[in-house]
Amino acid sequence: MASEKIFVTGASGDIGRKVVYALLEKKIPVTVYVRDVQKSKELFKDNELVSVVEGDYDNLDNLEKAMPGHTRLFLMCADLPRMPIIKPAIASIAYKAGVKQIVDLSSRFTMFPWRTSVIGEAHRLAEERVYALALEHNANFVALRPSRFFTNHLWADIKMIKEQNTLFDTQDADAPIEWVSTDDIAEVGAHVLSDAIENHANFAYPLISDSVTHAQRAEIFSKALGRTIEYKQVPPAQRYRILQGVGLPAPMAYDLSTVDTCLPPTTVVNILLNRPNKTLEDWVVAHKDHFSA
């Protein structure tokens, strides 16, 4: 992979840094685009394979100057309202600079009906616009579409687990719910970025690591924490207020109170990485200290 050089946006976040770590294990040079240079140095320890570019999404001048010479781009952006503008702007710079493949962190919510999910709509519009640019430049565009993150528990559920020993959601206790590991997301992303481009064409990979019922989820937390955690089904309106109470913006709180995520685990990890998906139970056990009462 000596001829490869990969540009990574969002490199200091959970998924972005894991993508960088995985690429560095493959000895692939990486350029990270970050707001906080000092944080990036702490994360990547002045690794000689890492180049740092300081910048944000308000001014892409530094990104544009640094992009020539890169072969691929890992693209992520957490700014939902501006995502359909920011991602195509970065993609346009990348493709014009000669980047041959963009791997985009999108969302499983793009698969919901048109304009019924604010999360899905932002990602869908961004996907469509970047894909059009890829076709225009005879390049490739791969989208990763993860479902609900395991790590959502650290902000959406932690308060109720610690204070009330209860998980709240809108579905029946026996309804299977999708979850995804950020490790699975990052490792698939790094694999695609380092594999032959033609092996992934212009795929969109849905990523669901585990599917467990709410009753099973409560059992997992109970076993890991050594105390009884119950599941309580609540109306969407109550779930909406709970999510707003932990700081989620109203549109996203509405999304997560109304969407139906009940598909089985996907086979992407098994096919591409030749290993099983990560499980929610393993994640809870590894992070149980966060949920101590």
Side-chain angles (χ1 to χ4, degrees), residues 2-285:
S3 62
E4 296 283 358
K5 189 174 184 182
I6 299 174
F7 200 101
V8 177
T9 65
S12 58
D14 181 32
I15 295 172
R17 63 181 170 81
K18 289 177 178 178
V19 169
V20 173
Y21 292 151
L23 293 172
L24 293 177
E25 287 182 3
K26 300 173 186 285
K27 306 301 181 185
I28 300 173
V30 176
T31 296
V32 298
Y33 186 65
V34 296
R35 289 190 299 268
D36 188 336
V37 172
Q38 184 57 41
K39 181 178 179 181
S40 72
K41 289 181 178 179
E42 293 170 0
L43 288 172
F44 308 121
K45 310 300 181 186
D46 290 323
N47 189 302
E48 62 182 9
L49 292 175
V50 178
S51 301
V52 180
V53 176
E54 184 177 11
D56 55 32
Y57 297 135
D58 294 320
N59 186 334
L60 299 176
D61 288 350
N62 288 347
L63 181 144
E64 186 168 11
K65 291 175 184 176
M67 190 63 70
H70 292 83
T71 54
R72 313 198 201 193
L73 165 69
F74 183 73
L75 179 60
M76 63 179 297
C77 170
D79 188 338
L80 277 177
R82 298 195 300 158
M83 183 183 292
I85 303 299
I86 293 170
K87 282 189 173 182
I90 295 174
S92 179
I93 290 170
Y95 286 134
K96 287 177 180 177
V99 166
K100 297 302 182 184
Q101 181 197 61
I102 291 177
V103 176
D104 173 45
L105 182 60
S106 184
S107 172
R108 142 93 168 95
F109 287 20
T110 60
M111 300 164 67
F112 293 133
W114 187 46
R115 298 183 64 199
T116 60
S117 160
V118 67
I119 299 170
E121 185 67 2
H123 284 285
R124 186 187 67 81
L125 285 170
E127 274 198 35
E128 289 178 348
R129 293 171 183 180
V130 176
Y131 189 24
L133 288 166
L135 296 176
E136 177 185 338
H137 289 273
N138 193 30
N140 290 88
F141 174 60
V142 175
L144 308 182
R145 292 177 173 175
S147 190
R148 300 187 188 203
F149 294 179
F150 291 171
T151 53
N152 285 8
H153 289 92
L154 294 173
W155 55 263
D157 301 287
I158 190 168
K159 186 174 187 291
M160 295 303 180
I161 291 174
K162 294 177 74 169
E163 295 180 0
Q164 299 186 31
N165 292 319
T166 305
L167 292 162
F168 294 89
D169 216 322
T170 61
Q171 299 85 8
D172 183 84
D174 294 325
I177 302 298
E178 308 163 12
W179 297 97
V180 67
S181 163
T182 56
D183 291 337
D184 284 349
I185 300 166
E187 289 179 35
V188 168
H191 173 78
V192 175
L193 287 163
S194 57
D195 197 19
I197 290 175
E198 60 269 21
N199 288 348
H200 305 279
N202 291 308
F203 288 169
Y205 288 119
L207 292 170
I208 303 169
S209 300
D210 204 355
S211 180
V212 298
T213 68
H214 287 303
Q216 290 170 331
R217 189 161 61 110
E219 290 176 9
I220 288 170
F221 273 95
S222 296
K223 181 179 177 182
L225 301 181
R227 65 183 196 271
T228 300
I229 305 298
E230 298 180 342
Y231 172 69
K232 182 177 180 181
Q233 182 180 9
V234 296
Q238 185 175 345
R239 177 65 172 160
Y240 174 76
R241 290 193 293 272
I242 290 172
L243 291 173
Q244 281 197 296
V246 296
L248 207 61
M252 291 184 66
Y254 183 88
D255 247 13
L256 296 179
S257 302
T258 58
V259 296
D260 184 13
T261 52
C262 57
L263 295 180
T266 53
T267 57
V268 176
V269 168
N270 182 252
I271 292 171
L272 297 186
L273 305 182
N274 195 31
R275 66 160 174 80
N277 292 332
K278 302 287 187 179
T279 67
L280 178 63
E281 182 170 14
D282 287 343
W283 182 88
V284 172
V285 170

